[in-house]
Amino acid sequence: MTPDAAPSRFLRIAAPALIALLLLAAWQGLVVAFDVPTYIVPSPVVVLRTLVADRALLADALAVTLSIALTALAIATVAGTLVALLFVQSRWIEMSLFPYAVLLQVTPIVAIAPLIIIWVKDTRTALVLCAVVVAIFPIIANTTLGLRSVDRGLLDLFRMCRASRWQVLARLRIPSALPYFFGGLRIASGLALIGAVVAEFVAGTGGQGAGLAYQILLAGMQLNIPRLFAALFLIAASGVLLFSATVWLSRAVLSRWHESEMAAPS
Amino acid sequence: MSIAGATKAYPNGTTALAPVDLEVRQGDFLTLLGPSGCGKTTLLNLVAGLIAPSAGTLSWWGGDFAGTGGPGRRLGFVFQAPTLMPWARVDANVRLPLDLAGLDRESATRDAGSALALVGLAEFAKHYPRELSGGMQMRVSIARALATAPDLLLMDEPFGALDEFTRQRLDGELAALWAARGLTVVFVTHSIYEAVFLSTRVAVMGPRPGRVIADVAIDEPVPRGDAFRVSVPFAHHCQQLSALVAGAGADAALAGPASAGHPRPPEGGPT
């Protein structure tokens, strides 16, 4: 093993953190040096101060957006897996339905969101639905691929043992599909958040139950750029957190046997 | 088990197997020997019930073949690759056929444990397959095939991917297991040495279409140890088989057992 083949755990956290510090310092320095007004680009210190000052408002908005994204992710995961299980039952079903899954994926959510918001009375339900539409495709596509990617020899062995359809599914197809499923989940976690934010933008709901996207919209109109940055920061942080959670989950389940999650050989 | 005039033709017109007649008696160690593409694996898959013959019949000792896997007609199969479930520990892999057959937990654990002990891997029960070497994975695969106490053990070039030293050791272990447990084995290989060392009978197969060209008995005492590998009868059998395989390959423009691990016939044997 070459010395730089596997960076240590410390370095893997320290290196990006150092870059963040450098960027923030440069940002702060430039804003101060050129005396940029806050309504154009606020300095990191001002953004941080806004985060603290508006914490009640922003925390509420964050809770709304996160709950929509998480609900959507949960629904997309369950529904997507069920659709994938349906697809692998027969080539006919997959052939007939898969184009519609693709249709759902390629139509931009901003184009469908107004319709969904008109059709579904409850705004929260409408927003969740939009986010589900965005997040479900990678789950369906990856899980279907995984359920089909079964070792031929093992399938022969199961046939020779006269395994039932259910035994093949539970003991062979589902475990084989797990790495693919987690790959899909990883992408879907980010998409659920994007879907939630985009739908909020389209819906533009204010008052009680307004999410981070609405706060951004509002802050933009009021030229409250520090709050806009603060909300933006919270959205990005939630996205990273969601992604990390799926990575952790995937590692917890697969690390014992799958190549993708194994520690680097020492 | 007997095979009467079984053939296999594929829809694209290739005939993988010309009519084959073959009898496997209880306690036999029958090896199907021949170069690549002579239908060895096809024949084995027919016996395993993985594919259906285009014509002809296969029958069990005193019975109809449809009962594969039924009580008293258990099949064990060892593939070219270990074919283990990477997500399951070694013991769970070995007990898979028992679990699929619906055996109760306790008996399955016991039978899988003793099968694993047979191949000398009892202490690796809780390991994952990737933590074992290629040879050990193959032994797990053999343990899985033995777990059901099969009436017929089918092995498709099980040691073909292993290095020579590991292969020789596993051949020795397999021969001992066969003798000790009274197994009935149908073994596929393209190694003449391996065929002679292991078998009581060798069916030499020829290509295009795949067919059995000779059924040679290896009437040497068992169990056979390493001493047998360097004995005069061993060399004699090797030479005889080698001539048969070369003869079969010549008319199909295949230069002898070119695909085998041992391209040269052994030297120094009596003629």
Side-chain angles (χ1 to χ4, degrees), chain A residues 151 153-154 156-163 167 171-172 175-176 255-258 262, chain B residues 48 50 66-68 77 79 83-87 89 96-97 99-100 128 130-131 144:
Chain A
D151 184 301
L154 278 172
D156 280 346
L157 180 75
F158 272 69
R159 277 175 57 206
M160 240 180 293
C161 294
R162 308 192 138 196
Q167 282 174 321
R171 286 172 173 271
L172 184 59
S176 303
S255 65
R256 295 307 302 268
W257 63 274
H258 200 258
M262 276 179 212
Chain B
L50 284 175
T68 310
F77 201 105
F79 298 87
T83 319
L84 302 174
M85 301 180 291
W87 56 85
R89 293 173 199 272
L96 177 75
D99 288 342
L100 290 178
Y128 282 87
R130 67 172 176 89
E131 297 166 340
R144 179 179 61 194

Side-chain angles (χ1 to χ4, degrees), chain B residues 94-122:
Chain B
V94 172
R95 55 181 289 167
L96 177 75
L98 304 167
D99 288 342
L100 290 178
L103 205 66
D104 64 279
R105 228 183 149 67
E106 208 172 301
S107 324
T109 309
R110 190 194 57 228
D111 290 359
S114 52
L116 209 49
L118 275 181
V119 298
L121 288 178

Side-chain angles (χ1 to χ4, degrees), chain B residues 175-207:
Chain B
L177 264 178
W178 167 76
R181 311 280 296 178
L183 299 171
T184 308
V185 183
V186 178
F187 190 93
V188 166
T189 185
H190 51 216
S191 160
I192 293 171
Y193 289 160
E194 195 173 34
V196 172
F197 179 76
L198 288 169
S199 321
T200 56
R201 274 167 65 212
V202 177
V204 179
M205 296 187 68

Side-chain angles (χ1 to χ4, degrees), chain A residues 3-257:
Chain A
D4 57 1
S8 74
R9 203 188 165 80
F10 170 75
L11 264 177
R12 243 181 297 165
I13 294 166
L18 187 72
I19 298 289
L21 273 179
L22 283 176
L23 283 176
L24 285 174
W27 179 0
Q28 180 76 29
L30 285 171
V31 168
V32 171
F34 292 97
D35 205 12
V36 184
T38 342
Y39 57 82
I40 307 245
V41 181
S43 72
V45 173
V46 174
V47 173
L48 190 69
R49 223 179 282 143
T50 314
L51 257 178
V52 176
D54 295 347
R55 63 182 176 278
L57 179 86
L58 289 172
D60 279 352
L62 176 66
V64 169
T65 302
L66 261 186
S67 104
I68 289 171
L70 285 174
T71 313
L73 183 60
I75 294 174
T77 304
V78 174
T81 307
L82 288 177
V83 170
L85 286 173
L86 182 72
F87 278 3
V88 295
Q89 292 314 305
S90 98
R91 284 274 177 201
W92 281 100
I93 298 177
E94 186 180 356
M95 237 167 51
S96 325
L97 296 182
F98 196 74
Y100 298 98
V102 175
L103 203 68
L104 212 61
Q105 161 74 5
V106 296
T107 313
I109 188 62
V110 271
I112 327 172
L115 267 182
I116 295 180
I117 288 160
I118 290 168
W119 286 341
V120 181
K121 210 166 171 205
D122 177 47
T123 313
R124 196 189 123 85
T125 313
L127 297 183
V128 169
L129 209 60
C130 291
V132 169
V133 167
V134 180
I136 200 168
F137 187 75
I139 303 263
I140 295 179
N142 272 34
T143 311
T144 305
L145 178 67
L147 289 168
R148 291 211 186 286
S149 304
V150 169
D151 184 301
R152 291 294 312 171
L154 278 172
L155 203 58
D156 280 346
L157 180 75
F158 272 69
R159 277 175 57 206
M160 240 180 293
C161 294
R162 308 192 138 196
S164 65
R165 219 182 158 81
W166 165 248
Q167 282 174 321
V168 172
L169 185 68
R171 286 172 173 271
L172 184 59
R173 289 199 188 275
I174 289 177
S176 303
L178 278 179
Y180 296 84
F181 165 78
F182 280 115
L185 186 65
R186 214 174 274 197
I187 301 167
S189 69
L191 287 181
L193 189 66
I194 292 174
V197 170
V198 169
E200 270 182 45
F201 264 116
V202 176
T205 28
Q208 281 296 88
L212 282 173
Y214 181 70
Q215 293 302 339
I216 288 179
L217 218 56
L218 201 64
M221 283 192 263
Q222 299 168 342
L223 282 185
N224 189 348
I225 306 304
R227 187 185 286 172
L228 194 154
F229 264 89
L232 197 59
F233 169 79
L234 285 178
I235 290 178
S238 324
V240 171
L241 218 68
L242 260 174
F243 182 80
S244 312
T246 57
V247 169
W248 175 85
L249 191 68
S250 160
R251 189 161 298 163
V253 175
L254 302 178
S255 65
R256 295 307 302 268
W257 63 274

